[in-house]
Amino acid sequence: MTTRRILLGAALAAPALHGAAAQPAWPDRPVRFVVAFAPGGFADQIGRMLAEQLGPIWRQTVVVENRGGAGGNVAAQQIARAAPDGYTALVTTGAFAINPTLSRNPGYRPEEFAAAAVVAGTPNLFVVRADSPVRSMADLVELGRRRPVNYGTAGVGVAAHLSAELFFKRVGGVDAQHIPYTGAGPAMLALLAGTIDMVATSLPSAVPQVQAGQARGLAVTSDRRNVAMPDVPTVAEAGFEPLVDLAWVAVLFPAAVPAAVLQKVNADVARVMAMPGFQQRLAAAGFDPIGGTVEQVNAYVANEVRNWRDIVRMINVQID
């Protein structure tokens, strides 16, 4: 997959896009952030962090509404059909880019949306119990060539599942059995209980267990180490073909939303992302800022759609 680059600096360096001509009489009433997943996940976490800071900037309440279901499809379907007035936004993850290929009928098309911001990204993590004899990705591959390896994820088709499948397909000869759970939390509980050998999950979902000494990270799916787990190597550093996959969070609107609204949201999110306190909270959870101008974030999302289309077809995974 294409290496992601941090684009926040480009957004902050482009004030010409946010001049007087790009300042609509917006918002003049509360704005809704519809999070595509249940409370407690990383999309919800970042959505609420944004809402907390954007409310005072906009002098309006930013209402966070969780609308989980069908791996993010339910919320995407709702926002695709919402009035394009800028008062209803979708806060979603990379699932938005995966589902149109993964699902036969996701109920939306990516081109029905315009991205205002891609806020942050975090790698996926391959993690085992702290007392596991598997201490590296090489150990995991060796084990999988001797006996079946059971690994858990937050569900069929989530980015971590696809990353794991891609890794095992590349190395070959590993008998890896996927065990889908209803979320990252249940998967981690199964790992700690000794039910499964390994979990592939977004890094923030495993930070508490790793920091508590209950689990051990084997590798992260990024092109550099993550500050929340500096001792965990990248897949490339672990001795395998580079695997770069970020679980990201974006703010999207219906495609027909006024361009001035997109520009204002983009500029104000960049303002929030430049706050030291916001950056510290992102880093503590294992996230890196992404950012970028409106043009850059829309290109980013479009590129993710293409990348995931290729991966899903390569590993031949489909649901419903």
Side-chain angles (χ1 to χ4, degrees):
M1 297 177 68
T2 303
T3 298
R4 278 64 165 183
R5 299 184 183 277
I6 297 176
L7 302 172
L8 176 58
L12 295 175
L17 294 175
H18 313 304
Q23 297 299 322
W26 179 96
D28 61 6
R29 63 179 189 271
V31 178
R32 271 198 316 152
F33 277 5
V34 178
V35 177
F37 299 92
F42 65 87
D44 179 68
Q45 179 183 0
I46 289 182
R48 292 180 187 277
M49 287 169 58
L50 279 180
E52 177 184 334
Q53 300 299 329
L54 289 173
I57 293 174
W58 292 342
R59 299 183 180 180
Q60 294 291 340
T61 302
V62 181
V63 180
V64 178
E65 173 187 325
N66 295 90
R67 186 63 62 90
N73 288 352
V74 170
Q77 292 165 12
Q78 176 188 350
I79 305 307
R81 291 154 183 75
D85 55 12
Y87 289 92
T88 305
L90 175 68
V91 178
T92 190
T93 70
F96 174 86
I98 295 171
N99 291 347
T101 305
L102 183 72
S103 175
R104 289 186 176 88
N105 183 27
Y108 70 92
R109 292 173 292 112
E111 54 267 29
E112 294 178 291
F113 294 83
V118 179
V119 184
T122 185
N124 287 307
L125 173 74
F126 299 119
V127 59
V128 295
R129 271 177 36 142
D131 61 358
S132 171
V134 174
R135 306 192 66 84
S136 67
M137 293 299 285
D139 288 348
L140 181 67
V141 169
E142 181 183 352
L143 179 65
R145 287 174 175 164
R146 288 190 281 110
R147 67 157 175 87
V149 171
N150 298 319
Y151 76 94
T153 71
V156 176
V158 299
H161 168 215
L162 301 180
S163 290
E165 288 292 317
L166 181 59
F167 173 80
F168 289 126
K169 183 178 182 68
R170 283 175 172 177
V171 300
V174 176
D175 188 354
Q177 304 296 320
H178 176 225
I179 312 295
Y181 290 86
T182 57
M188 287 301 297
L189 288 175
L191 177 72
L192 298 181
T195 306
I196 52 180
D197 298 304
M198 186 267 284
V199 164
T201 184
S202 61
L203 185 144
S205 300
V207 166
Q209 292 84 358
V210 172
Q211 292 182 343
Q214 298 173 303
R216 179 171 58 251
L218 299 180
V220 289
T221 62
S222 52
D223 55 3
R224 57 190 173 88
R225 298 193 184 201
N226 188 275
V227 295
M229 294 187 187
D231 295 331
V232 178
T234 67
V235 171
E237 288 176 330
F240 297 91
E241 183 178 349
L243 179 59
V244 179
D245 165 27
L246 296 185
W248 44 265
V249 178
V251 180
L252 310 178
F253 287 88
V257 71
V261 171
L262 287 181
Q263 296 288 1
K264 178 166 176 56
V265 174
N266 179 272
D268 291 341
V269 170
R271 179 177 167 185
V272 170
M273 291 171 65
M275 297 177 179
F278 191 86
Q279 293 176 1
Q280 290 166 8
R281 291 173 69 182
L282 285 180
F287 284 93
D288 290 316
I290 297 178
T293 65
V294 169
E295 294 76 14
Q296 288 170 328
V297 298
N298 278 279
Y300 182 98
V301 172
N303 187 61
E304 286 287 280
V305 171
R306 290 190 295 270
N307 283 337
W308 284 114
R309 180 188 301 130
D310 293 344
I311 290 173
V312 170
R313 289 174 177 171
M314 182 193 315
I315 61 180
N316 194 27
V317 176
Q318 193 165 61
I319 60 176
D320 62 43

